[in-house]
Amino acid sequence: MTFLHYTLKSRENFVSLLNTYSNEAVNQIPEGFNNNLIWNFGHVIVTQQLLCYKLSGLDMNVSDEMVQSYRKGTKPEKTIEEGEISRLKELAVETVDLLRRDLEKGLFNDFHEYTTSFGVTLQNVDEAIQFNSMHETLHLGYAMALRKKIESK
């Protein structure tokens, strides 16, 4: 479960980053970028659900609307209001805790093999969790780059 510890730590850092900015700032798309802080945050939550639950044939713990807003290939289409930002912050911790509990229950018996855009083929939920940890760290780094652009305005 070490990778879940890393995921939770990364998400705590992400929440901390978001907490330093206004709703307006987290929705800002700086010049030279195609997304914003809150999209990156929603994206990591949705991606974890898709990689771990959807590929395992299980119900996800996020709404279909959230998936449509933050999945790979999307970009910010609207201003994300305080209610959704708060819900994403709650989901950041909840979805890691739920994944941990569902793993302990042995719910991840099936897995649909998937090759990521990184060229990595995931064959089981453990590999999905490991890959997801790296993916979330990548987006946290991207958010830190966005932060520098937001602060320079």
Side-chain angles (χ1 to χ4, degrees), residues 28-127:
Q28 181 185 337
I29 302 173
E31 187 177 328
F33 290 81
N34 62 1
N35 55 44
N36 54 33
L37 290 173
I38 198 62
W39 182 89
N40 277 276
F41 187 58
H43 175 71
V44 299
I45 293 165
V46 163
T47 298
Q48 180 239 27
Q49 291 292 296
L50 289 167
L51 290 175
C52 297
Y53 284 86
K54 181 99 172 160
L55 291 176
S56 295
L58 300 171
D59 290 337
M60 294 184 290
N61 299 295
V62 295
S63 69
D64 290 339
E65 179 182 286
M66 202 169 274
V67 172
Q68 292 307 314
S69 295
Y70 299 108
R71 67 180 165 75
K72 181 175 116 182
T74 64
K75 61 183 181 180
E77 299 289 340
K78 63 180 181 171
T79 297
I80 305 305
E81 302 295 337
E82 179 59 38
E84 186 171 343
I85 292 170
S86 294
R87 182 63 185 135
L88 286 168
K89 289 175 183 177
E90 292 168 1
L91 284 169
V93 175
E94 283 177 19
T95 54
V96 175
D97 289 342
L98 286 167
L99 179 56
R100 180 179 286 116
R101 281 187 289 216
D102 290 344
L103 285 164
E104 290 169 356
K105 290 178 188 174
L107 297 182
F108 297 91
N109 298 315
D110 295 319
F111 192 85
H112 178 72
E113 187 176 288
Y114 175 72
T115 301
T116 70
S117 56
F118 279 75
V120 175
T121 300
L122 308 175
Q123 297 180 335
N124 56 56
V125 74
D126 291 330
E127 290 178 1

Side-chain angles (χ1 to χ4, degrees), residues 14-31:
F14 223 133
V15 168
S16 208
L17 174 67
L18 292 172
N19 285 341
T20 63
Y21 295 101
S22 66
N23 289 2
E24 181 183 345
V26 301
N27 278 282
Q28 181 185 337
I29 302 173
E31 187 177 328

Side-chain angles (χ1 to χ4, degrees), residues 133-151:
S133 180
M134 183 274 308
H135 175 260
E136 293 203 12
T137 304
L138 173 77
H139 279 277
L140 178 59
Y142 193 78
M144 291 172 159
L146 281 164
R147 174 190 67 186
K148 290 189 184 285
K149 289 293 261 185
I150 290 168
E151 288 175 357

